[in-house]
Every structure is written in structure tokens, then in C-alpha cells.
Amino acid sequence: MNKAVAAFLGKHNFPVHMDINPVVDAMLYDMNEGLSQRPAAEDMIRTFCNPPEKNAAGESVIMIDAGGTNFRSCLVTFDQNGKPSIDFMEKTKMPGIERELSKKEFFNQFAENLEHLKDKSDKIGFCFSYPMTITEDGDGVLLGFSKEIKAPEVVGCHIGKELAAALKEHGWTKKVRISLLNDTVAALLAGAACPDEGNKYSSYIGFILGTGMNGAYIQPEDPAYKGLKKQIIVCENGKFDKVQRSDFDRAYDAKSVKPGTSILEKMCSGAYLGPVGFEAIHTAAEEGLFSEGFCKSLLKLEGLTLIEMDSFLHAPYGTGSVLGAKAAESATPEDYDKLFQFLDAIVERSARLSAAILTACVVKSGEGHDSTKPVCILCNGTTFFKTYKIFPRVMGYLEDLLVRERGLFYEVISRENDITLGTAIGGLIAK
């Protein structure tokens, strides 16, 4: 690394090439505390469900996916062989992004978004990608919003119950059964329901690295956890806070809608990598890390998204990105190198922390000891697959962390329409 960049990052408490194993150990400790129902950063949420043992032949279910940016809904129908088809798909903005909503406004917008699916099924699989406590009847109690959603009155509500009431007010005649699940559970269920022919897996993990970040795995029954039967556990890894933060992380966190929350998510996910990169760039320009002309140009930046940051990393000499255009005007060759290296360090850290989450989930699953029956990890999210070198770096770190160091075997997969299909399957699991 450029010596000036190394000194700059060190000065601001940014760990370059951090050792992943201490993070794994701290995460395993925190997961154990959560499962033991003691105070923990991560909400180890019990789902009271496992992947189905047979396919969903002859069923139809309404699918809702309320994510960090979009609200998607459709009807999923499984034929007699269990092959799914997707109809009536619509996508709109997630309520609560543009302005603060009351509880009634929030659920009314949901009902309006579902008008095209009115009474097409009495079963609804609802992927609600925010921290929830899942109840034994399949409903979910919202613990809090992340991803900058503004609807504080909804916190503490039974999401399924409130939505069912809103649908009835909007003229639905069927009494609907709504099953709440997290996007990581949907990813896990999609992996379990759609294995490649000839493969067998010992367990399943769902991992999301997109706008937000989270993981889920199947916890085996363990006498150490009183009353906990084998079931899918949502980890809420984004809330993990036992990790070193840089000055840039703290600066952005202080400006965010909810300072002091979602600590790991703000260090890893697509909604935050750009803003953290902006804090680093602004600090570097203020401290004269670059040439005088380039520092002045960078100080005129008002913000930065991951898309812009990633565009520069993929093509630093291209002028189609904000950073590339500024660099073309005033950067020296050394400026290019410095800017690239410390932005790359930010996304590389995301890859290391993602590998820590996946390693901890595989270890907690208790499976993966047989090389012919690895743990299936279904990953979802544009940040994971498209951000500069995150995917290949995670794969490399996992090979060391799991196979070489722990003798555990895994396979990372992806599936088309994974969240849609997994959510539909979740809507059919009896609670």
C-alpha cells in the first residue's frame, strides 16, 4: 500500500487487512449470548420454522417483499410437480422512504400496493426485511427500522395483524393467513427448496449483502439453549457492534437518521459504503493527502453513493463517474493511486466482515463436516455480487477460514428470483 495512504488510514483507526478470526470469535460469543437470551448486540430471532420436507405442489400464495428500497408483490403458483410460476408482479417504492408516515398511513400504502392481488389467495408470504420478533403463529413484531425508513409508530406492531386489518378495510373478502419472514430466511428457504440435481447439503444459510446486510442459519437443538428446538435463526448481524470502527464510520454514523444503531451494517452494506467513502475522501482532502488542485476539487463533493464509488474502482480512468471526472480534471498519477487504494480498502473490509458472518453461521450450524454434504450458502444482493471484488474476496477468505482452518465445507450458490420463491414457500409453511 502507498505509505501515505497507510499512514492516513492508521491515523483514523481504519484497520487495513484486518484479522478476520477475532471478529468471528466475537460474533460467536455474541450469538451465543443472544441464543441464551442474555443481552447481545445481535437479535438472535427465533422463527419457529424449518425448510419444508416436501415441495409445494398445487399451491398458490401471494408474495410480498418489502425491502430497503422497493416494495414488490406478485402471485406465485406451484404446479403439480412443484414448479413455480410468477404472475402479476408489480414494484413500487417502499413506504416511509420519502417522508415520515403514521401507522395507519404506512399500512394503507401497503394495502394500496396490493390492490392488484386482491383475493387471489388466502395465503400471504411476507418478506419484511427489518428486525422482528417472530411469534409462534407466524406473525412478526417490529423491533425497529433500519435503512432509513421513517415510520416510528409501526415499531412494536404485529405486522401481519395490522396488514390483515388494512386489507379488510380495502375490501378483501378472504380471511388471509400472513406469514412474516426476513429476506435472509427467504434466501435460506430458496436454497433448500431448489437444490441442484445430484447435490446434498447438510444445512442451509441465507445471506444478504445489498442495501442492507443480514444472515440466517439453521440452529440445531442444543441442551445449552433451554427450550430451543431445531429451527431457522435470524441473526440481525448488521447490529453487531464488537468491532473496530474508524473515524469515518463514526462521522457518518453521527449524521445518520439513527446514530449508534446498525453498526456493522453501516460498515458493510450498499446503503452506507458510499457515505463512509465520502467521509474518508473529505477528510483526506482536508488533510492534504492529494495534490492541492485535486484536494480543492474533492472538497466540492456534497456526497457519494456506492454506485459512484464502485464506478471509480471498476474504471478509475473513466470519466463517466463523479470521481473519475474530477480526477481527469486535476488529479496526478499518484492522486489516482491514493484515491483508489483507500476506497478499495473500504470495500475490502466489507468482504472480510461478510466472510466473518458466514463463517460464524456455518460454525453455529454444527454441519459441514462431510465434503460431499457441504453447508449450502445462498447469497443475495448486488453489493455482494457486483461491488468491486467483494465476491471473489469473500470466496477466498472462506476457503481459508472454513476449509483450511476448521475443516468445514460449504458451497455458495445463487438462484434467480430467490427471495420471491423463498418468501412464497415461507407463506406455505404451517405454523
Side-chain angles (χ1 to χ4, degrees), residues 1-156:
M1 176 173 282
N2 182 289
K3 292 179 181 178
V5 173
F8 170 75
L9 293 175
K11 174 184 176 181
H12 291 284
N13 303 304
F14 191 100
V16 179
H17 305 313
M18 67 163 61
D19 188 348
I20 305 175
N21 273 313
V23 181
V24 174
D25 291 340
M27 196 167 286
L28 287 169
Y29 172 83
D30 197 66
M31 294 167 80
N32 179 68
E33 293 298 285
L35 289 172
S36 301
Q37 299 185 316
R38 293 189 290 266
E42 299 162 280
D43 300 308
M44 300 295 288
I45 299 170
R46 305 181 183 199
T47 66
F48 305 100
C49 73
N50 286 291
E53 295 182 359
K54 58 181 182 180
N55 65 31
E59 297 276 9
S60 290
V61 60
I62 292 169
M63 189 289 308
I64 307 170
D65 179 10
T69 305
N70 298 315
F71 181 101
R72 299 185 306 124
S73 55
C74 66
L75 183 72
V76 179
T77 302
F78 297 89
D79 68 16
Q80 294 305 313
N81 296 316
K83 184 179 179 179
S85 62
I86 299 172
D87 299 293
F88 309 107
M89 174 67 79
E90 287 192 6
K91 182 174 76 172
T92 186
K93 287 184 178 180
M94 176 66 189
I97 288 179
E98 296 180 343
R99 66 178 181 89
E100 183 172 310
L101 301 178
S102 68
K103 181 174 75 172
K104 186 172 182 62
E105 288 174 324
F106 186 80
F107 286 104
N108 275 342
Q109 283 198 19
F110 271 39
E112 290 169 9
N113 291 345
L114 295 171
E115 190 67 25
H116 66 295
L117 296 170
K118 182 181 288 185
D119 288 332
K120 293 190 182 298
S121 176
D122 62 349
K123 302 178 186 68
I124 298 178
F126 190 172
C127 179
F128 195 63
S129 303
Y130 304 93
M132 297 180 291
T133 297
I134 300 297
T135 59
E136 292 197 45
D137 62 356
D139 206 341
V141 179
L142 179 65
L143 298 174
F145 280 114
S146 58
K147 311 181 186 77
E148 313 298 288
I149 299 299
K150 298 173 284 292
E153 290 183 6
V154 180
V155 177

Side-chain angles (χ1 to χ4, degrees), residues 14-15 18 20 207 209-210 212-213 264-270 273 306 309 343-357 383-384 387-391 393-394 397:
F14 191 100
M18 67 163 61
I20 305 175
F207 179 67
L209 184 62
M213 181 193 68
L264 193 65
E265 186 169 86
K266 289 174 181 173
M267 299 169 69
C268 289
S269 71
L273 286 176
L306 174 58
M309 190 168 109
L343 291 181
D344 183 46
I346 292 172
V347 296
E348 198 270 347
R349 183 185 65 173
S350 177
R352 285 176 178 261
L353 292 172
S354 298
I357 292 170
T383 304
F384 183 80
T387 299
Y388 182 74
K389 287 190 177 180
I390 283 184
F391 175 61
R393 283 169 167 164
V394 171
Y397 300 146

Side-chain angles (χ1 to χ4, degrees), residues 369-383:
H369 300 282
D370 185 337
S371 62
T372 67
K373 297 178 182 178
V375 175
C376 175
I377 303 173
L378 191 144
C379 294
N380 172 282
T382 54
T383 304

Side-chain angles (χ1 to χ4, degrees), residues 103 184 310:
K103 181 174 75 172
T184 50
D310 190 49

Side-chain angles (χ1 to χ4, degrees), residues 142-399:
L142 179 65
L143 298 174
F145 280 114
S146 58
K147 311 181 186 77
E148 313 298 288
I149 299 299
K150 298 173 284 292
E153 290 183 6
V154 180
V155 177
C157 290
H158 285 73
I159 301 300
K161 180 180 177 181
E162 296 290 344
L163 177 58
L167 294 178
K168 186 175 181 180
E169 285 186 5
H170 280 72
W172 289 52
T173 59
K174 289 185 177 181
K175 184 178 180 180
V176 294
R177 190 192 77 189
I178 303 174
S179 297
L180 270 292
L181 63 156
N182 187 276
D183 51 359
T184 50
V185 176
L188 186 155
L189 290 173
C194 308
D196 290 329
E197 186 176 352
N199 284 344
K200 290 186 177 181
Y201 299 111
S202 53
S203 192
Y204 300 91
I205 288 169
F207 179 67
I208 309 293
L209 184 62
T211 303
M213 181 193 68
N214 202 4
Y217 73 101
I218 301 174
Q219 171 64 43
E221 189 166 349
D222 188 333
Y225 308 124
K226 187 177 180 180
L228 179 61
K229 296 181 179 180
K230 180 180 179 180
Q231 62 186 276
I232 300 170
I233 298 289
V234 177
C235 303
E236 292 301 335
N237 303 113
K239 298 176 74 173
F240 181 69
D241 60 3
K242 299 170 179 65
V243 62
Q244 180 181 347
R245 288 195 292 166
S246 71
D247 295 347
F248 320 129
D249 299 304
R250 295 181 185 277
Y252 172 69
D253 179 47
K255 298 175 183 177
S256 65
V257 173
K258 295 180 180 178
T261 64
S262 303
I263 297 301
L264 193 65
E265 186 169 86
K266 289 174 181 173
M267 299 169 69
C268 289
S269 71
Y272 305 110
L273 286 176
V276 170
F278 171 76
E279 295 296 335
I281 288 172
H282 199 268
T283 302
E286 285 185 325
E287 296 182 3
L289 182 66
F290 309 106
S291 64
E292 183 178 355
F294 195 40
C295 283
K296 288 180 179 179
S297 180
L298 290 174
L299 286 172
K300 294 178 182 178
L301 273 177
E302 296 182 355
L304 189 69
T305 65
L306 174 58
I307 291 173
E308 289 291 347
M309 190 168 109
D310 190 49
S311 294
F312 178 79
L313 289 171
H314 274 102
Y317 292 97
T319 57
S321 67
V322 170
L323 294 176
K326 285 187 174 294
E329 292 175 358
S330 55
T332 67
E334 188 176 10
D335 288 336
Y336 273 97
D337 185 46
K338 289 177 180 177
L339 181 59
F340 185 96
Q341 285 199 30
F342 80 69
L343 291 181
D344 183 46
I346 292 172
V347 296
E348 198 270 347
R349 183 185 65 173
S350 177
R352 285 176 178 261
L353 292 172
S354 298
I357 292 170
L358 293 174
T359 298
C361 286
V362 171
V363 171
K364 287 300 294 178
S365 77
E367 299 291 352
H369 300 282
D370 185 337
S371 62
T372 67
K373 297 178 182 178
V375 175
C376 175
I377 303 173
L378 191 144
C379 294
N380 172 282
T382 54
T383 304
F384 183 80
F385 285 109
K386 294 188 177 181
T387 299
Y388 182 74
K389 287 190 177 180
I390 283 184
F391 175 61
R393 283 169 167 164
V394 171
M395 296 299 288
Y397 300 146
L398 289 180
E399 197 68 16

Side-chain angles (χ1 to χ4, degrees), residues 359 362-363 367-369 398 402-410:
T359 298
V362 171
V363 171
E367 299 291 352
H369 300 282
L398 289 180
L402 289 173
V403 181
R404 295 190 180 94
E405 296 180 17
R406 292 172 172 84
L408 299 176
F409 298 90
Y410 69 95

